[in-house]
Amino acid sequence: AIQMTQSPPSLSASVGDRVTITCRASQGITNELNWYQQKPGKAPQLLIYEASSLQSGVPSRFSGSGFGTDFTLTISSLQPEDFATYYCLQDYDYLYTFGQGTKLEIK
Amino acid sequence: EVQLVESGGGLVQPGGSLRLSCAASGFTFRNYWMHWVRQAPGKGLEWVSRINSDGRDTTYADSVKGRFTTSRDNANNTVFLQMNNLRPEDTAVYYCATVMVTSLDHWGQGTLVTVSS
């Protein structure tokens, strides 16, 4: 199975900051990489699909980039509601795999 | 509105069995693949299984292969996860999810399975 290595595991930031989370695949996955946001006690919500496409209804401060093995999720200006845990998911392989998650906390 | 509602979770002893259900509404269920994803307490997300639209094709994560079986009833818009020989490490919230347009874009609220003696 393809391994997804996500970093950092946790991140402290302030409202208004720009933050970047990365995900690296153990082999090339073209652009089959998606990003999710999860808040405590809730199901994950899709933010970005196919590496860089913004899901409908998601604020434009979220963006994604990458191709092959290296991917990034960027939040351009953190808002209070953005403090959550973020996961990448590859759906290139028939066995999907998630990254380990990045917990974004308020500094 | 797309809705996925899981049920069937609870407390079960190691080695026991449990069947989860996920009732779907708001879309033409028989046309879509369905997935199960789980999350152990305080841990990350783990993809578990998927089933194609007619139920003939299933795929499982290595951690559950041979113990879990996914099936579906397209007449009643429901997908199932039969879990046998349960282990303490199977303790998790289990979510069903589907790909309506792209990736796993619709999720249920989850149901908690606790495996403990």
Side-chain angles (χ1 to χ4, degrees):
Chain A
I2 297 174
Q3 306 301 314
M4 303 301 297
T5 303
Q6 188 173 336
S7 61
S10 63
L11 180 57
S12 293
S14 301
V15 172
D17 283 355
R18 178 184 180 92
V19 300
T20 297
I21 298 168
T22 65
C23 222
R24 173 166 288 176
S26 59
Q27 66 185 73
I29 58 171
T30 65
N31 69 335
E32 302 294 340
L33 190 283
N34 313 284
W35 291 98
Y36 293 82
Q37 177 192 70
Q38 187 181 33
K39 295 182 178 179
K42 300 293 187 181
Q45 289 199 308
L46 179 64
L47 299 175
I48 301 286
Y49 63 95
E50 294 176 357
S52 59
S53 296
L54 194 66
Q55 174 71 343
S56 175
V58 174
S60 59
R61 62 181 179 273
F62 291 92
S63 64
S65 65
F67 188 90
T69 60
D70 294 310
F71 302 87
T72 60
L73 172 70
T74 298
I75 310 172
S76 60
S77 178
L78 276 173
Q79 299 302 300
E81 60 268 29
D82 300 337
F83 291 94
T85 302
Y86 294 84
Y87 295 93
C88 62
L89 167 71
Q90 70 79 19
D91 55 5
Y92 174 84
D93 187 65
Y94 73 104
L95 294 176
Y96 290 13
T97 42
F98 287 92
Q100 300 93 329
T102 296
K103 186 174 184 179
L104 181 53
E105 298 174 308
I106 301 174
K107 185 183 287 184
Chain B
E1 179 193 2
V2 173
Q3 280 204 312
L4 300 171
V5 180
E6 302 92 338
S7 61
L11 176 63
V12 60
Q13 292 189 337
S17 297
L18 209 57
R19 188 173 88 153
L20 305 183
S21 301
C22 171
S25 61
F27 64 104
T28 308
F29 178 76
R30 65 180 180 272
N31 290 345
Y32 293 91
W33 292 54
M34 298 297 297
H35 296 249
W36 289 95
V37 175
R38 69 184 181 182
Q39 186 169 36
K43 302 298 184 182
L45 299 168
E46 180 187 14
W47 179 85
V48 172
S49 74
R50 70 178 177 200
I51 185 166
N52 75 333
S53 56
D54 67 10
R56 296 182 185 183
D57 182 14
T58 54
T59 310
Y60 301 93
D62 289 345
S63 58
V64 306
K65 193 179 298 183
R67 301 187 299 122
F68 289 13
T69 302
T70 298
S71 61
R72 64 191 297 159
D73 178 353
N74 284 346
N76 288 294
N77 296 343
T78 304
V79 62
F80 304 99
L81 184 65
Q82 176 67 43
M83 304 184 294
N84 296 331
N85 190 20
L86 282 160
R87 305 166 179 168
E89 56 264 36
D90 295 318
T91 294
V93 173
Y94 285 73
Y95 296 99
C96 66
T98 190
V99 178
M100 297 295 296
V101 176
T102 184
S103 188
L104 301 177
D105 52 7
H106 287 81
W107 296 63
Q109 85 290 348
T111 187
L112 176 62
V113 172
T114 303
V115 184
S116 175
S117 54

